[in-house]
Amino acid sequence: MEHEMGRFDREGAERMDRIAKTAFAPVYPVIAEQILDRCGIRSGRCLDVGSGPGSLGIALAQASDLTVTLLDSSPDMLEVAKENIRKNGLLGRVSLLAGDVHDIPLPPDSVDLVVSRGSLFFWEDLARAFSEIYRVLAPGGKTYIGGGFGTAELRDSIAATMTEENPDWKSFRDRNLGPGNRTRIAGVVAGLGLPHRIISDDSGYWVMMEKSE
Ligand code: SAM
């Protein structure tokens, strides 16, 4: 698979891991705190969809009592994530799951909190992906799915760093997080008729679905 953010093979996974540990590093604990505050779920089972090297899921496990599963369709990303779980001493709390968001290999009603950052831009069928996520959500469960950098300051400092590496980076970011794509994603989610609200602010763009008890 080849995308503007890099390939999701071994080389792409190592590049994503390097970015996640340098330019993007401050973003994950900030977003983890925002998720915990906004969703109010701090224990139970959490699924990080399109986890890549696992930085968000790991930050959530470190900041809460959640048991986290990292789901990714790239075996190379999961290999890198495995090493990160081990290095952070989280082998008992954070686990790996190979699979595709369009066909999540989990039973219905099994996850309390589904999070995802920066992955939905690559999903081929958003309606199917969100339906699958809703299917695995437990009653009372919530989602926090989208993309962003946590704060305006982080967004702007990351843009400066990333543009040095790739002059096209800002246009890639704006295609993903710009108004056109936000409207498209909102339309797909509204079309599903599932209870949700959307956060669109300096923290990014996030779809919060909720399954009633
Ligand atoms: N969430 C991580 C982060 O914020 O650092 C990684 C983001 S990376 C840009 C996108 C990730 O989504 C990649 O690891 C890729 O393999 C994964 N991905 C893309 N399409 C997917 C799909 N259909 N199902 C599961 N994972 C997918």
Side-chain angles (χ1 to χ4, degrees):
M1 232 191 286
E2 180 119 27
H3 297 289
E4 291 97 320
M5 261 309 273
R7 301 183 305 269
F8 299 144
D9 59 6
R10 184 76 204 178
E11 194 186 326
E14 282 172 1
R15 178 169 179 269
M16 184 70 231
D17 191 44
R18 178 175 57 76
I19 293 169
K21 286 175 177 158
T22 52
F24 285 19
V27 155
Y28 301 105
V30 169
I31 294 178
E33 282 303 335
Q34 289 168 341
I35 292 172
L36 296 170
D37 285 349
R38 289 170 171 179
C39 295
I41 296 174
R42 292 174 174 270
S43 62
R45 188 163 180 193
C46 171
L47 181 70
D48 180 359
V49 177
S51 65
S55 314
L56 180 59
I58 287 171
L60 277 165
Q62 287 169 333
S64 73
D65 294 323
L66 289 161
T67 300
V68 180
T69 301
L70 307 179
L71 172 80
D72 207 286
S73 53
S74 158
D76 293 303
M77 286 287 186
L78 289 175
E79 273 301 307
V80 172
K82 187 176 176 184
E83 188 57 14
N84 290 333
I85 295 169
R86 194 190 60 74
K87 282 187 193 148
N88 282 280
L90 286 167
L91 281 172
R93 291 266 312 287
V94 182
S95 58
L96 302 173
L97 183 62
D100 194 299
V101 67
H102 301 93
D103 190 12
I104 300 174
L106 287 175
D109 301 343
S110 58
V111 183
D112 301 295
L113 178 64
V114 181
V115 304
S116 182
R117 179 196 168 275
S119 183
L120 84 168
F121 309 120
F122 304 103
W123 301 349
E124 278 161 23
D125 183 342
L126 275 185
R128 178 161 171 189
F130 275 104
S131 301
E132 265 298 272
I133 287 168
Y134 191 77
R135 179 185 67 79
V136 302
L137 206 57
K142 291 184 184 163
T143 75
Y144 198 88
I145 295 162
F149 301 93
T151 66
E153 292 72 24
L154 284 169
R155 180 195 64 211
D156 294 345
S157 72
I158 285 168
T161 310
M162 293 302 290
T163 304
E164 279 172 29
E165 182 170 325
N166 176 2
D168 295 332
W169 192 80
K170 263 197 208 163
S171 66
F172 170 67
R173 179 199 69 184
D174 291 343
R175 198 156 56 246
N176 283 341
L177 279 167
N181 211 22
R182 291 183 190 217
T183 303
R184 181 182 72 91
I185 297 166
V188 171
V189 178
L192 294 173
L194 299 170
H196 73 283
R197 73 183 177 96
I198 286 176
I199 293 178
S200 185
D201 62 14
D202 282 347
S203 70
Y205 183 82
W206 309 99
V207 178
M208 290 183 71
M209 296 193 291
E210 182 167 3
K211 201 183 249 188
S212 55
E213 303 263 6

